[in-house]
Amino acid sequence: MTDKTLIELSGQQTQMIVELGEYAEILHWGQKVSGDLEGFRMALHRPVPYGRLDNDVSMTLHPELGRGVFSSPGVEGHRDGQDWAPVFVITHQELHEEGVVIESEDVIAGLRLKTELKLDKNDVIKTRHTLTNIKDGVYQVNRLANTLPLPARANELMTYYGRWVYEFQTVRQPLYQGGYQQENRRGRTSHEHYPALVAGTAHFDEMSGDVWGFHFAWSGNHRLRVDVKADGRRYMQAEVIYLPGEVALKEGESVATPWLYASHSNSGLNGMSHHFHSHVRDTILPSDFKDKPRPIHLNTWEGIYFDHDPEYIMSMATQSAEMGVERFIIDDGWFKGRNGDKAGLGDWFLCETKYPNGLQPVVEHVNKLGMEFGLWFEPEMINKDSDLFRAHPEWLLAVDGYNQPTGRNQYVINLQNDEAFNFLFERLDHFLSTYNIAYIKWDMNREVVQPAHQGQAAAHNQTHRYYQLVDKVREKHPKVDIESCAAGGGRIDFEVLKRTHRFWASDNNDALERQTIQRGMSYFFPPEVMGSHIGASHCHSTRRRHSIEFRGLTALFGHMGIELDPVKEAQAEKQGFERYIQLHKKLRPLLHSGRTWRVTADDCAHQIHAVVANDQSEAVVLIAQLAMPTNSLSGHLRVPGLDPNGLYRVSVLDKPSNYDDIVNYQPPWTESGCELSGTWCKDVGLTMPILDAESAMLVTFERIR
Ligand code: DGJ
């Protein structure tokens, strides 16, 4: 015991106590408690029961079979069938201000492992391993996983599921015996298996309970696991799924895991989100755009689809500018052969039939109207019906001899082929260098099937090459904003966000569905990175109809845009767009910097969302009525996060047009406002108004004292 040392990593509220000896073990990760490290050691060491191995077995950051850990190992691989159960011993450790870097070796197996473990001021941990082959012969890596322990009281999970137009759905499940596993083999982050989950104490909710949230920053295949060991201890593990043979290290070569991000909060899910949002703002988002207000978009996709006529597009731009739009984006359909979704991908040359006078007049028109110009690309994809495929059928990401299924009639390009990679860079560079393009929407509309380079499995490297392509574009064009889109929200994760600025959260612009999708996304992402558009009143993906108020207020709480053809819209609708654009501009500084609270409602037919200024001077609250109220009265609106000693003026900023007609009378505060203390707002609240299903109301709180 004496040859072991304890180190402590601290955030503002989080403490991690790590014991370092032959290996590293996290003894405590949770709320910060002051005290003496030696006392902690005595308090935390475990008993050894009969009927199992004679020594205490630690759950290290990389569980090892050779030490008697019967859990999912941190490293699995072999060298021609040898060296398959490595046991690492620490050779070197360095404690930095933010964390610790540990180097371990197994001299028999000929492997070195570097483990980085950091805890920042926003209480977010990040960890990763790098494995190096230090011996003669190729080491075949089957698995390399990040592992973090969870305390035994973490006995409930919140995990994600979803699909196209139905992203970020959450589900709760107990965690008692056995465990949870999710595997993503779709080759992109995916709609189905968003790489994050939350473990917590029984019945944790938005405001209470201990929670441990995890986000695996990787845009390809992954496995997430939460396991309850037979002795009751539990851990979370995240790894890239390596396809057979795809990671083979020659002597001196290394492979690194993606970063696993994690955060503990003892004040429920809101507390956890505050940590992740601050971390994203301070550390993940590219720093170059932080101070620039996020411009309001008009995206042409649902307005005109593939039907491009530059004169008409310019009239759309004129009307957009009149409504207050700040960035005009031409979506899919502008390039050679792209008249539908069956052909053209890969031919990144302007369609001269549609644009006989080139793109320049359109860009100039948009710029003259005072708007930025943006353009859509889907660089990684190819249609067989394209000049590119006819010239380079060998550029497909595929295994020769097999016919893989198409997705949206398209295939993936092998980015590991240097010629293909350079061609795509040259095409993107050409457009970004020729035109005044401020933004690109980088789409990716199909899953990856049988990814191979020179016959060998190559999913892992394809994802790295995608990052490299984006990085190369950004290096040459650092002023261009990039949106990550993959048929809506199929590629949303922290690693993409390090090199992009915004996500297209979903192809579903139905305000009712968006309420759930946006809420699911809000657990890990702040609102400013979430693309959120007002679509046409008749939603294209669900065929539901919603009022402009409900659509406007729903889109308000993200990076707002409009997605329709303004030329065809009625005057009343246009006035609505203008109103919500103005409202967004007014509230944007608050919405994009403040603290998000998912507010607990008394009636589950409501979803309430608040953003409170960091200095608690103001707040904006959205009451969304998702379904018919359960009872005729719906309890109270209680708003957390305000200054308990402050006095606030409460006012209704926006409400449904029929608000006064649907009941005898509404709560008086919704008519004339009122003044209340921050404590009252949090603990007692205001009577809820009566709203129709699928409508919303916006309330503001302004500190007057
Ligand atoms: C899928 C995206 O999610 C849409 O917004 C749009 O850009 C289409 N692709 C274009 O093909």
Side-chain angles (χ1 to χ4, degrees):
M1 234 193 235
T2 42
D3 54 350
K4 292 184 174 178
T5 51
L6 283 189
I7 59 163
E8 189 179 359
L9 309 181
S10 300
Q12 283 177 45
Q13 298 160 27
T14 305
Q15 182 180 43
M16 186 172 256
I17 296 173
V18 187
E19 189 170 60
L20 296 167
E22 270 197 18
Y23 48 77
E25 183 183 6
I26 295 172
L27 295 184
H28 167 66
W29 165 32
Q31 197 57 20
K32 206 180 208 174
V33 184
S34 58
D36 159 50
L37 282 183
E38 202 46 44
F40 294 155
R41 188 206 299 270
M42 298 309 286
L44 292 171
H45 272 204
R46 291 170 293 269
V48 179
Y50 289 135
R52 48 185 283 181
L53 297 176
D54 291 333
N55 294 326
D56 175 54
V57 176
S58 298
M59 270 304 296
T60 65
L61 294 165
H62 39 86
E64 292 152 321
L65 195 56
R67 289 194 187 277
V69 186
F70 303 116
S71 308
S72 165
V75 179
E76 278 188 312
H78 65 96
R79 192 187 308 272
D80 263 341
Q82 308 287 309
D83 300 332
W84 55 275
V87 174
F88 292 91
V89 175
I90 294 181
T91 52
H92 184 69
Q93 69 217 26
E94 262 179 50
L95 194 59
H96 302 284
E97 207 183 309
E98 272 210 340
V100 61
V101 180
I102 302 161
E103 281 196 3
S104 319
E105 264 179 36
D106 177 339
V107 282
I108 301 170
L111 295 171
R112 180 180 302 134
L113 192 66
K114 181 167 113 180
T115 304
E116 293 159 87
L117 182 64
K118 302 181 178 187
L119 171 59
D120 80 345
K121 65 175 184 351
N122 294 312
D123 296 295
V124 172
I125 286 165
K126 58 181 203 172
T127 183
R128 73 170 171 191
H129 295 298
T130 307
L131 182 72
T132 306
N133 178 11
I134 53 171
K135 201 169 94 174
D136 201 19
V138 171
Y139 196 81
Q140 201 70 53
V141 186
N142 294 345
R143 295 186 47 242
L144 179 59
N146 299 287
T147 311
L148 287 171
L150 282 164
R153 67 186 192 284
N155 55 20
E156 210 172 309
L157 294 179
M158 184 181 94
T159 60
Y160 283 92
Y161 68 99
R163 62 174 170 82
W164 176 65
V165 296
Y166 196 56
E167 295 85 345
F168 291 106
Q169 307 297 312
T170 57
V171 60
R172 298 291 287 261
Q173 47 198 300
L175 179 69
Y176 293 124
Q177 304 294 344
Y180 168 84
Q181 181 170 288
Q182 96 175 20
E183 282 200 353
N184 172 37
R185 293 175 181 270
R186 292 166 186 268
R188 61 182 178 191
T189 318
S190 89
H191 305 74
E192 290 77 6
H193 310 290
Y194 168 63
L197 57 82
V198 182
T201 48
H203 315 301
F204 68 84
D205 59 25
E206 295 295 349
M207 300 298 290
S208 66
D210 279 279
V211 295
W212 292 263
F214 300 89
H215 178 104
F216 191 48
W218 179 244
S219 318
N221 295 336
H222 72 253
R223 180 182 296 116
L224 303 187
R225 180 200 299 266
V226 183
D227 249 3
V228 181
K229 285 166 62 65
D231 62 18
R233 280 181 292 170
R234 45 205 71 201
Y235 62 94
M236 192 277 173
Q237 198 170 61
E239 66 200 274
V240 174
I241 294 178
Y242 300 141
L243 296 177
E246 80 174 319
V247 182
L249 303 178
K250 295 194 193 110
E251 187 177 359
E253 285 184 346
S254 303
V255 62
T257 67
W259 289 102
L260 171 62
Y261 292 81
S263 190
H264 165 263
S265 156
N266 71 350
S267 49
L269 291 161
N270 276 313
M272 177 200 82
S273 296
H274 297 157
H275 298 167
F276 280 119
H277 290 190
S278 307
H279 184 80
V280 166
R281 284 172 174 163
D282 290 354
T283 315
I284 300 225
L285 272 173
S287 54
D288 29 8
F289 291 81
K290 274 189 186 145
D291 299 328
K292 184 184 165 196
R294 287 171 176 266
I296 293 176
H297 285 192
L298 183 301
N299 183 295
T300 58
W301 179 239
E302 291 197 355
I304 54 170
Y305 291 107
F306 296 103
D307 193 6
H308 288 216
D309 165 358
E311 288 303 320
Y312 191 78
I313 288 178
M314 287 194 271
S315 65
M316 288 171 79
T318 306
Q319 300 229 356
S320 302
E322 282 167 10
M323 293 175 340
V325 167
E326 297 161 312
R327 182 184 275 163
F328 185 84
I329 297 116
I330 296 190
D331 206 287
D332 196 357
W334 57 267
F335 50 97
K336 196 161 174 241
R338 192 65 173 167
N339 299 316
D341 66 8
K342 291 195 169 49
L345 287 174
D347 293 345
W348 301 108
F349 299 88
L350 187 71
C351 174
E352 288 171 4
T353 320
K354 288 181 188 171
Y355 293 84
N357 301 322
L359 193 59
Q360 188 61 17
V362 184
V363 180
E364 273 175 16
H365 180 75
V366 167
N367 288 162
K368 269 195 204 131
L369 291 164
M371 295 185 293
E372 292 181 354
F373 179 78
L375 197 58
W376 180 94
F377 288 91
E378 193 178 4
E380 297 141 89
M381 295 292 155
I382 187 164
N383 286 119
K384 283 202 172 169
D385 187 358
S386 67
D387 291 347
L388 189 70
F389 181 79
R390 285 183 279 274
H392 291 289
E394 77 284 7
W395 284 7
L396 237 54
L397 187 71
V399 182
D400 284 349
Y402 293 87
N403 269 331
Q404 56 169 280
T406 50
R408 206 189 187 205
N409 312 301
Q410 64 199 51
Y411 294 85
V412 184
I413 293 178
N414 178 7
L415 298 181
Q416 291 140 107
N417 177 316
D418 288 338
E419 265 186 68
F421 183 96
N422 292 336
F423 167 80
L424 293 173
F425 174 72
E426 186 280 324
R427 286 291 78 208
L428 285 156
D429 181 34
H430 164 79
F431 280 94
L432 295 177
S433 306
T434 309
Y435 305 103
N436 186 21
I437 294 176
Y439 156 99
I440 59 176
K441 176 171 173 181
W442 188 307
D443 208 343
M444 197 251 196
N445 281 297
R446 71 155 281 177
E447 291 149 331
V448 179
V449 181
Q450 269 191 336
H453 178 54
Q454 295 169 347
Q456 290 190 308
H460 178 236
N461 209 30
Q462 175 79 5
T463 305
H464 277 300
R465 292 292 275 172
Y466 154 68
Y467 293 146
Q468 282 166 19
L469 187 57
V470 183
D471 289 344
K472 199 165 172 188
V473 170
R474 270 186 49 72
E475 205 184 334
K476 178 99 189 274
H477 301 280
K479 292 203 156 57
V480 175
D481 259 18
I482 302 180
E483 173 172 73
S484 169
C485 169
R491 191 151 62 185
I492 298 184
D493 62 75
F494 285 179
E495 195 55 39
V496 180
L497 195 55
K498 288 177 191 164
R499 40 189 59 80
T500 58
H501 308 83
R502 179 193 206 255
F503 294 117
W504 184 225
S506 178
D507 275 349
N508 197 337
N509 288 324
D510 177 318
L512 180 64
E513 299 298 333
R514 270 290 182 142
Q515 283 290 335
T516 311
I517 293 167
Q518 295 183 181
R519 172 154 289 218
M521 188 167 166
S522 78
Y523 286 102
F524 290 87
F525 293 98
E528 64 269 25
V529 303
M530 183 176 66
S532 186
H533 293 179
I534 303 179
S537 61
H538 191 182
C539 172
H540 292 201
S541 47
T542 62
R543 286 160 283 280
R544 273 198 200 104
R545 282 187 183 279
H546 285 126
S547 67
I548 178 59
E549 292 92 357
F550 190 44
R551 286 179 288 143
L553 289 178
T554 301
L556 197 74
F557 279 75
H559 176 181
M560 189 169 144
I562 312 272
E563 184 149 343
L564 40 74
D565 175 1
V567 177
K568 295 215 172 73
E569 293 293 332
Q571 202 50 34
E573 279 279 295
K574 275 196 245 186
Q575 280 165 359
F577 306 144
E578 208 175 322
R579 165 162 175 70
Y580 291 101
I581 287 172
Q582 292 315 325
L583 205 51
H584 186 75
K585 285 182 183 167
K586 181 170 162 220
L587 296 173
R588 179 165 56 189
L590 166 62
L591 291 168
H592 291 178
S593 70
R595 221 165 219 217
T596 290
W597 292 87
R598 289 170 301 270
V599 177
T600 309
D602 291 343
D603 180 356
C604 61
H606 289 117
Q607 185 163 282
I608 307 175
H609 191 87
V611 180
V612 181
N614 291 321
D615 64 2
Q616 298 172 308
S617 58
E618 55 175 335
V620 58
V621 178
L622 181 74
I623 304 172
Q625 182 81 45
L626 302 187
M628 280 287 287
T630 310
N631 302 305
S632 40
L633 297 176
S634 302
H636 291 82
L637 165 69
R638 289 175 303 280
V639 180
L642 300 170
D643 177 358
N645 303 315
L647 185 68
Y648 291 85
R649 169 102 204 133
V650 184
S651 331
V652 171
L653 205 57
D654 200 69
K655 59 187 179 186
S657 52
N658 64 355
Y659 181 68
D660 295 316
D661 305 336
I662 54 178
V663 289
N664 273 341
Y665 68 86
Q666 296 279 17
W669 69 266
T670 65
E671 299 301 332
S672 51
C674 63
E675 290 175 8
L676 295 170
S677 72
T679 314
W680 180 279
C681 295
K682 171 171 157 288
D683 294 333
V684 185
L686 301 115
T687 44
M688 285 288 279
I690 294 174
L691 300 173
D692 278 343
E694 299 171 31
S695 67
M697 175 182 251
L698 191 68
V699 186
T700 56
F701 294 71
E702 253 179 292
R703 187 164 60 196
I704 46 181
R705 246 192 2 249

